[in-house]
Amino acid sequence: MATQELESIVGGLLALPFPRNETQRGDGASGPGYHVRVLRASQDFWEDRSEEIVEAAEKEIDAAFQALVTALTARWGGPEAIDLDPYLWSEDPVPEPISSLCQLSGEMLVWRQPDATRWVAITVGQGDPEFPIELLAAVGEAPIP
């Protein structure tokens, strides 16, 4: 997918109403006050986890991430980097989509629209070394704790 298509998906998530109940789809999840979507995913690494294969996948996903960061920054200004590690180890309940994202990544970049109640985040994550590396977009309504 081209950067313009990824940017369009993010814009669509911003406009999409939040469902009343948790819903899962193959490429994401939604619930009260949030949406998460996989924008791009590498191959999985069950069969081959060689350094060359993993590095090529990381470079491909990072290039898409950087291009999307550039496009969103041109539209909304610079993002805020949010450290997700404290949420992973928190003893307090962590709201979605932060709860899901901190399972996959250590940091996300967030854009907050001044006149809107929603924020947009993108991150790169991987659930396990054998799983695909994913470029994820999230839209949330609740303040980031």
Side-chain angles (χ1 to χ4, degrees), residues 11-103:
L13 290 175
L14 267 172
L16 189 65
F18 296 122
R20 296 171 101 191
N21 300 310
E22 302 281 330
T23 60
Q24 298 281 327
R25 345 182 330 194
D27 64 351
S30 294
Y34 78 94
H35 300 294
V36 176
R37 175 108 183 249
V38 176
L39 299 175
R40 184 171 286 171
S42 72
Q43 69 183 54
D44 66 44
F45 304 102
W46 292 102
E47 300 295 322
D48 188 356
R49 200 155 154 68
S50 65
E51 188 174 322
E52 303 83 39
I53 297 290
V54 173
E55 281 183 12
E58 288 172 340
K59 285 180 182 176
E60 179 184 328
I61 297 297
D62 186 58
F65 173 80
Q66 295 301 330
L68 187 54
V69 167
T70 299
L72 296 179
T73 297
R75 180 189 279 186
W76 296 318
E80 174 186 355
I82 303 289
D83 181 7
L84 294 172
D85 284 337
Y87 300 105
L88 182 62
W89 306 110
S90 176
E91 293 182 18
D92 297 323
V94 176
E96 290 294 352
I98 305 297
S99 180
S100 295
L101 295 175
C102 74
Q103 304 291 319

